[in-house]
Amino acid sequence: MGVKSKTKKMMMLLMAVIMVLSLAACGGNGNKEKASNTAANTNAEKTNKTAKAPSADEPGWKSDTSPITFDWYLNFAWFPNKWGVDPTSQYVTKKTGVNVNFIVPAGNENEKLNTLIASGKLPDFITLGWYEDGVKKMIEGGLVLPLNKLAEEYDPYFFKISDPDKLGWYTQPDGNVYGYPNSSSSPKDYEKYGDTYVSNQTFVVRKDIYEAIGKPDMRTPEGFLAALKAAKEKFPEIDGQPMIPLGLHEFTATGNDSLEGYLQNFLAIPRQKDGKLYNRETDPEYVTWLKTLRQANQDGLLAKDIFIDKRAQMEEKIAQGRYFAMLYQRTDFAAQLGTLYQQDPKKIYIAVDGPANSKLDPPKLNGPSISGWTVTLISKDVKDKARAIKFLSYLMSEEGQKDLYLGEKGVSYDTIDGKDQFLPEAFDLMNKDRTAFDKKYGSSFTFWMMQDTNITQKWAPKSVEPYKQLEDWTRGKAVSVSEFDLLDPLANSEEGIILSKIKDLRSKTLPKLLMAPSDAEFDKIWTDYIKKQEDLGLAKVQAFQQTKYEENKKKLGLK
């Protein structure tokens, strides 16, 4: 045998040995226990972990449950809870290894968020209202990561548990999705769960006063005014303080929820006509009811309080039962309603048929929409991309929903009569003192950032009084308004600046309309208001919104 042949054989043998050794190094998790604890072996295992493709069928979070703390910014100054104080969040941390440090603004949310955005460095997770300008600013500024890319690389399980319609809805022009919503319901969800949906929008009256004046029909302007008058005459004072005939959401720098969307929904004013967005505030039915409220003020039936009170003052007066009627969001006074119920079940607020159009059509109230309530994004500065998207997937999944809704088995829930449900003592505390419940149990979405109310419906307890009556009244009246979401321009765009000026004008005009001394003066203020909107450039805003509306319909597959 020649030297060349021997050399060739030796080379082949050497290569075979190298290959065997390489395969042994890459090969396997199965031999981890046998491997000696050397640095080389540890590194080989790390390489192997990274090389292993993540599974689309297995929850990604299970692959790594080592301790990690994420900073999570919530753009809600009122959020009072801390992670790790209660058994539910402790349970989630024990299970996933993830601890959460909430960052909540102390004062003005927009100022805090704008400061964070200007700094160019954001906390790991950010949750804010989908309607906030900050969402677009963060995306356009490249400050947040595409969830779809993170999922493709680190956790394809995300695509298994996310809703394709919601991903489609939040897909940006660059083809990426940066935020995922909570409390969101797509048109398909409406087909599946629609008959169970309720609205937050209610017209309520104090039960005992309403009954004492003969349960009047308040759907017409005449009936409405007569009821306010009768209530004030019969009950001029509540526990020594003046009775307030009508309560509304607070007047803000942009308007008043009760006098805009709420009233328009109660009057079933359409949002579009023949495919064109309809300017609802120009509807004659709406103007008639604003004039009705002007008359109420002239008759001494609108207390000065309603023009100046903020939510904190309103809550105090609701707890005292000082309002006769309110056009108000039921969940905003749930705590006060519970207090009243404990004191005297007869003195609670109940939902009744309120202002209606001249045909007395039932109201069309806002139900859940595909946009949801908030969106959650992951910062480009996130400390661990893989763990972040895996934790988000966990929270969105049925397992995560159950953990954060019911809590830990045997602590806040158990299987009772064959059904997973809250323990009686936990449910009782939830209804009597929600703040104490959050600290003691931390379940029932104390941490609501990724709540999916469609998933959790199967575990939701039946509503109890005094909340049940208000919920039940809205059933069948809630409609999907998804295609009318996300219509507004970015605040610093030309159309956005115009819209901001129009909202400012509206906020100043609404009180003037209600305080006008006569219908003739109301008409003068109204005509001037409509003209000023046009002069500011309303047509430009409407053209922008119409384009967005048509895009929304395409996204949702609506004709």
Side-chain angles (χ1 to χ4, degrees):
M1 192 184 282
V3 175
K4 271 188 183 174
S5 180
K6 270 186 182 176
T7 308
K8 196 173 178 185
K9 262 190 150 179
M10 286 292 290
M11 285 294 289
M12 284 175 77
L13 194 64
L14 192 61
M15 280 180 78
V17 169
I18 289 168
M19 280 186 78
V20 168
L21 286 170
S22 297
L23 284 168
C26 293
N29 277 342
N31 293 322
K32 273 186 192 173
E33 289 165 8
K34 293 177 189 172
S36 61
N37 192 17
T38 63
N41 274 325
T42 306
N43 287 336
E45 281 180 29
K46 276 186 183 168
T47 306
N48 180 45
K49 244 184 189 176
T50 311
K52 188 185 173 189
S55 164
D57 298 312
E58 180 72 12
W61 67 267
K62 291 184 176 179
S63 64
D64 186 356
T65 56
S66 58
I68 187 170
T69 299
F70 284 118
D71 293 324
W72 195 314
Y73 176 76
L74 293 175
N75 201 41
F76 299 91
W78 52 261
F79 183 77
N81 298 302
K82 293 201 173 355
W83 188 273
V85 172
D86 59 279
T88 298
S89 56
Q90 289 167 3
Y91 171 60
V92 169
T93 296
K94 188 177 160 191
K95 183 176 190 173
T96 63
V98 177
N99 183 36
V100 177
N101 171 44
F102 286 120
I103 299 167
V104 178
N108 186 299
E109 288 101 342
N110 286 339
E111 282 177 18
K112 173 73 174 171
L113 186 62
N114 286 333
T115 304
L116 281 172
I117 290 170
S119 77
K121 191 163 171 56
L122 298 171
D124 303 304
F125 289 89
I126 308 100
T127 296
L128 68 168
W130 62 260
Y131 41 85
E132 302 273 1
D133 208 41
V135 178
K136 291 174 187 167
K137 283 183 186 168
M138 287 187 284
I139 294 169
E140 289 178 7
L143 298 175
V144 286
L145 297 171
L147 301 181
N148 50 305
K149 301 266 191 199
L150 289 173
E152 281 164 17
E153 189 170 353
Y154 303 109
D155 188 26
Y157 186 70
F158 172 89
F159 295 110
K160 186 172 185 175
I161 49 92
S162 56
D163 184 326
D165 288 344
K166 290 164 195 174
L167 293 178
W169 180 248
Y170 276 108
T171 296
Q172 298 299 314
D174 66 2
N176 292 321
V177 182
Y178 294 87
Y180 199 83
N182 75 352
S183 300
S184 162
S185 291
S186 65
K188 278 182 190 161
D189 288 330
Y190 265 82
E191 288 169 24
K192 197 171 175 184
Y193 309 103
D195 59 344
T196 67
Y197 286 160
V198 292
S199 174
N200 266 337
Q201 301 178 334
T202 48
F203 177 69
V204 301
V205 290
R206 211 178 104 166
K207 187 174 184 287
D208 56 339
I209 298 177
Y210 183 65
E211 288 171 355
I213 61 170
K215 298 186 182 176
D217 184 343
M218 299 181 72
R219 292 177 298 166
T220 65
E222 301 75 27
F224 185 83
L225 289 170
L228 293 187
K229 192 177 178 207
K232 190 182 177 189
E233 283 175 359
K234 196 152 192 168
F235 299 89
E237 289 189 344
I238 304 290
D239 295 331
Q241 294 183 311
M243 192 262 268
I244 305 167
L246 180 67
L248 304 169
H249 277 274
E250 66 181 83
F251 284 83
T252 69
T254 57
N256 183 297
D257 287 344
S258 298
L259 297 177
E260 294 173 70
Y262 276 49
L263 183 53
Q264 290 157 9
N265 289 350
F266 268 81
L267 303 179
I269 296 172
R271 293 168 184 270
Q272 60 85 28
K273 287 187 175 182
D274 302 321
K276 295 285 176 202
L277 287 173
Y278 181 50
N279 187 356
R280 300 171 91 201
E281 71 176 358
T282 61
D283 193 277
E285 301 269 10
Y286 177 62
V287 178
T288 295
W289 271 92
L290 284 184
K291 283 188 170 182
T292 302
L293 292 170
R294 186 215 69 78
Q295 186 64 52
N297 189 60
Q298 187 180 320
D299 296 346
L301 300 171
L302 294 189
K304 295 285 179 281
D305 312 48
I306 69 172
F307 295 101
I308 52 174
D309 282 352
K310 297 294 176 198
R311 180 167 162 178
Q313 285 84 41
M314 280 205 71
E315 286 177 353
E316 193 181 319
K317 288 169 184 175
I318 294 168
Q320 294 164 348
R322 283 183 62 193
Y323 297 95
F324 161 57
M326 293 188 288
L327 188 57
Y328 206 66
Q329 176 161 284
R330 63 181 173 80
T331 50
D332 276 12
F333 69 96
Q336 292 73 40
L337 187 62
T339 303
L340 288 170
Y341 188 67
Q342 298 296 321
Q343 291 166 355
D344 187 344
K346 294 190 195 80
K347 293 182 179 176
I348 56 164
Y349 288 95
I350 56 166
V352 296
D353 293 339
N357 62 33
S358 52
K359 294 179 191 160
L360 300 183
D361 291 325
K364 291 188 174 177
L365 309 174
N366 286 12
S369 80
I370 194 165
S371 298
W373 166 32
T374 68
V375 284
T376 292
L377 309 96
I378 294 176
S379 158
K380 69 173 175 56
D381 303 305
V382 67
K383 56 176 68 80
D384 187 324
K385 293 177 186 176
R387 291 293 294 280
I389 189 68
K390 288 170 182 177
F391 187 56
L392 194 69
S393 293
Y394 158 73
L395 293 174
M396 288 160 55
S397 70
E398 184 163 324
E399 182 178 5
Q401 292 292 312
K402 187 174 184 180
D403 289 345
L404 280 169
Y405 186 72
L406 286 176
E408 186 175 6
K409 191 165 188 176
V411 179
S412 53
Y413 90 96
D414 218 325
T415 308
I416 305 165
D417 299 330
K419 186 190 171 191
D420 288 344
Q421 54 186 297
F422 288 110
L423 291 166
E425 59 270 28
F427 186 53
D428 189 48
L429 185 62
M430 191 196 304
N431 288 306
K432 281 185 177 162
D433 190 340
R434 181 68 210 213
T435 307
F437 172 88
D438 288 347
K439 287 185 172 57
K440 185 168 182 182
Y441 295 105
S443 50
S444 186
F445 284 128
T446 295
F447 306 100
W448 40 256
M449 300 89 72
M450 300 313 299
Q451 71 180 13
D452 185 329
T453 41
N454 292 318
I455 291 178
T456 57
Q457 208 156 271
K458 68 180 87 167
W459 307 299
K462 285 191 167 61
S463 199
V464 297
E465 297 303 356
Y467 318 101
K468 183 179 184 299
Q469 191 274 338
L470 274 68
E471 275 181 31
D472 288 348
W473 182 86
T474 71
R475 283 185 206 281
K477 299 179 180 85
V479 297
S480 172
V481 290
S482 291
E483 64 269 37
F484 304 102
D485 285 347
L486 298 172
L487 296 182
D488 287 353
L490 197 60
N492 60 4
S493 65
E494 186 191 357
E495 294 89 352
I497 292 163
I498 295 167
L499 183 59
S500 168
K501 287 176 180 172
I502 287 170
K503 285 181 177 177
D504 181 59
L505 175 67
R506 184 177 297 141
S507 78
K508 291 181 168 73
T509 304
L510 282 169
K512 287 180 189 170
L513 290 166
L514 268 52
M515 291 176 182
S518 65
D519 273 359
E521 187 60 28
F522 177 103
D523 290 338
K524 191 166 168 263
I525 296 167
W526 184 258
T527 306
D528 185 47
Y529 167 61
I530 297 298
K531 181 167 189 314
K532 275 183 182 164
Q533 284 193 66
E534 287 164 7
D535 294 345
L536 283 169
L538 176 65
K540 271 190 178 170
V541 176
Q542 288 174 325
F544 179 93
Q545 291 175 328
Q546 180 65 31
T547 303
K548 293 295 286 180
Y549 168 59
E550 286 163 17
E551 285 172 11
N552 285 353
K553 285 205 293 183
K554 273 185 197 158
K555 273 186 177 182
L556 294 167
L558 302 171
K559 288 179 184 174

